[in-house]
Amino acid sequence: MRHPAPRLALVASALLALGACTPRGDDSAPAADAKDPAAARVAPATVHAFKDGIDAADFAEHVEHLASDDFGGRGPGSAGEDKTVDYIKSQFARIGLQPGNGGDWFQTVPMVETTADEAATLDIAVGSQRQVLAFGKDMVVGTRTGQPVVNLKDSPLVFVGYGVDAPEQAWNDYAGLDVKGKTVVMLVNDPGFHARDARLFDGNRMTYYGRWTYKFEEAARKGAAAALIIHDTDGASYGWDVVRNSWSGPQYDLPAKDDPAPRVPVQGWISGGAADALFKAAGQDLGKLRAAANKRGFKPVPLDATASLQLKSRSVEKQSRNVIGMLPGSEAPEEAIVYMAHWDHLGTHEGEAGDNIYNGAVDNATGIAGILEIAEAFRKAPTPPKRSVLFLAVTLEESGLLGSKYYVAHPVVPLDKTVAVFNLDALAPVGRARDLTVVGKGSSQLEDLLKEVLDRQERHAEAEDNTAAGYYFRSDHFNFAKAGVPALYIDSGIDLVEGGKAAGQAAGKAYTEQRYHKPGDQYDAQAWKLDGIVQDLGTVYDVGAKLANDGAWPNWYDGNPFKAARDRQRPAATP
């Protein structure tokens, strides 16, 4: 059992009294309401006096609370969810926000929780040979159909390169192939990355075609019976342990009625070692097929092998919740700036040996703490913003951005009245940096406003260090972007004041290898350096505050694929 780290700040009654006298809200902790058991459930063991602005000790208080073992890894549909959303609600109320979903703090997100029987094996028959792939060790699979049993019987395997059909790229890995009843096997990422060819897709920078979500969706559209992605660490940007941890245990989806897109009956990953053995047994050289798949005009290759699987799953219809707080605008309340972060993580893996609580301190207690601190700054500003500011804590990000997907389909502020979205996801507690990472840099005019703020700080924006990882498609702002709303996704800088780029890159590598989607992602009061996060939150606050008061409507840059959707939303704003 882990012991909670000591709090960074304890509170004297004199400070609490001062907080209660602020003109724009009561800073004291909310009193437990006998009529509201949630209030008692989230009451902290000690009382913390929150400051008006963005403050390191306040930020740490939120992270430590949300990432504690008591919250159980914040799994959607669990007791940890109840504690999490109640905590966020109580903080929104303490700050002085209004319920953002009409008169409700919550937006109910319907979901289906599916847990696969990990005793399942994937049986591969190649001529007289038989390979048995074990769950977790060699493969991870699941179903999004909600069926208690899915049978895959002697399904022919076919290698479909990257599993991409992109007409605008003159690229179709499914050309001439009928995949009905077949199991498609494909590479992770997209051709530009592995070929190191800037002429293919976006070169080393992953496109949406490289994301596993797209690959499974496309396989479903083509009618495949099963879809398997071959893992490689460089292409995925994470190791097999991340795949295993993320795909084991309960998995979540929106119900089919809320997300009617086709679903492949069986989807999952196979390890690089298992794939090498499979292709070798089938008389194929995976290395040569990788090279062939990187060239335009690639044709799918049958593997002369079949796959069989009986996948038993337990599915339960549940509900999760987005939490929404609103600071109404003084002059244009119908228009809104959105600050967003996801509250969910991977929960507790029952039966897993050792530490089985996936606390998710960086991912993404930091993002929730960030929007709470920004909300505090807006609420306690000398004058209220002219436009409304919406604070959105979404669920089910780890399950495929489902909470934000549901919100975008059911927005409380119409998307054509949503000015911009600022997304906070996994802020790095590594100290101040000379730069600020803009994931997907070169996307929208929000970056022009950001540059003005960074110039005053004598800092600059940089693209993400690993553009091949496709981070732009892996967080909740992406659902807003697809719908046309300009979105800025910032991350901590790499060029650290103490240690430079080498120190920043080393810290990022250590986090990915040792803590990302692992039980080790915990709050550490002794090691965390929060001054850089405080500065970055202030930067994003300044950009949003300008937009909340100047009436501007930023758009995507010319050539961006999301600009057409925004222009349709707001034709009057189109030049």
Side-chain angles (χ1 to χ4, degrees), residues 207 248 313 420 455:
T207 69
S248 59
S313 303
D455 284 347

Side-chain angles (χ1 to χ4, degrees), residues 121-126 129-133 155 157 183 228 270 278 281 305-308:
T121 59
L122 182 63
D123 295 343
I124 307 293
V126 186
Q129 299 183 49
R130 183 169 176 263
Q131 297 178 349
V132 180
L133 276 58
S155 173
L157 272 69
T183 295
L228 300 171
I270 59 173
L278 163 61
T306 61
S308 297

Side-chain angles (χ1 to χ4, degrees), residues 528-542:
W528 281 31
K529 299 177 182 179
L530 299 179
D531 54 342
I533 289 178
V534 169
Q535 183 177 35
D536 293 344
L537 294 177
T539 300
V540 178
Y541 168 83
D542 286 346

Side-chain angles (χ1 to χ4, degrees), residues 364-537:
N364 186 33
T366 59
I368 293 297
I371 67 170
L372 290 172
E373 286 300 287
I374 291 171
E376 193 101 48
F378 268 105
R379 181 67 180 86
K380 307 300 172 55
T383 56
K386 295 178 181 178
R387 284 167 158 165
S388 295
V389 186
L390 187 77
F391 298 92
L392 177 61
V394 295
T395 184
L396 293 165
E397 188 269 356
E398 302 287 8
S399 302
L401 319 182
L402 301 182
S404 57
K405 183 176 187 178
Y406 188 83
Y407 175 89
V408 168
H410 307 275
V412 301
V413 176
L415 298 181
D416 64 345
K417 296 294 185 182
T418 301
V419 180
V421 172
F422 298 92
N423 182 37
L424 302 179
D425 191 354
L427 304 175
V430 294
R432 285 187 176 239
R434 299 178 181 90
D435 56 355
L436 180 71
T437 299
V438 175
V439 181
K441 187 174 182 289
S443 296
S444 83
Q445 294 167 354
L446 292 172
E447 295 173 38
D448 300 333
L449 303 178
L450 176 66
K451 184 178 185 302
E452 295 176 9
V453 177
L454 291 175
D455 284 347
R456 294 197 297 269
Q457 299 173 351
E458 297 184 343
R459 296 203 297 162
H460 61 279
E462 289 284 354
E464 64 269 35
D465 197 45
N466 181 9
T467 58
Y471 293 124
Y472 193 81
F473 313 109
R474 289 165 57 174
S475 195
D476 290 297
H477 67 284
F478 184 54
N479 285 315
F480 285 86
K482 286 192 294 184
V485 180
L488 185 67
Y489 175 22
I490 67 106
D491 202 350
S492 305
I494 294 295
D495 186 6
L496 302 185
V497 172
E498 297 182 5
K501 290 184 178 179
Q505 290 170 340
K509 184 174 185 290
Y511 173 74
T512 299
E513 293 180 352
Q514 301 170 22
R515 295 181 291 282
Y516 173 64
H517 281 206
K518 299 180 179 68
D521 186 4
Q522 301 182 53
Y523 171 65
D524 185 341
Q526 302 304 315
W528 281 31
K529 299 177 182 179
L530 299 179
D531 54 342
I533 289 178
V534 169
Q535 183 177 35
D536 293 344
L537 294 177

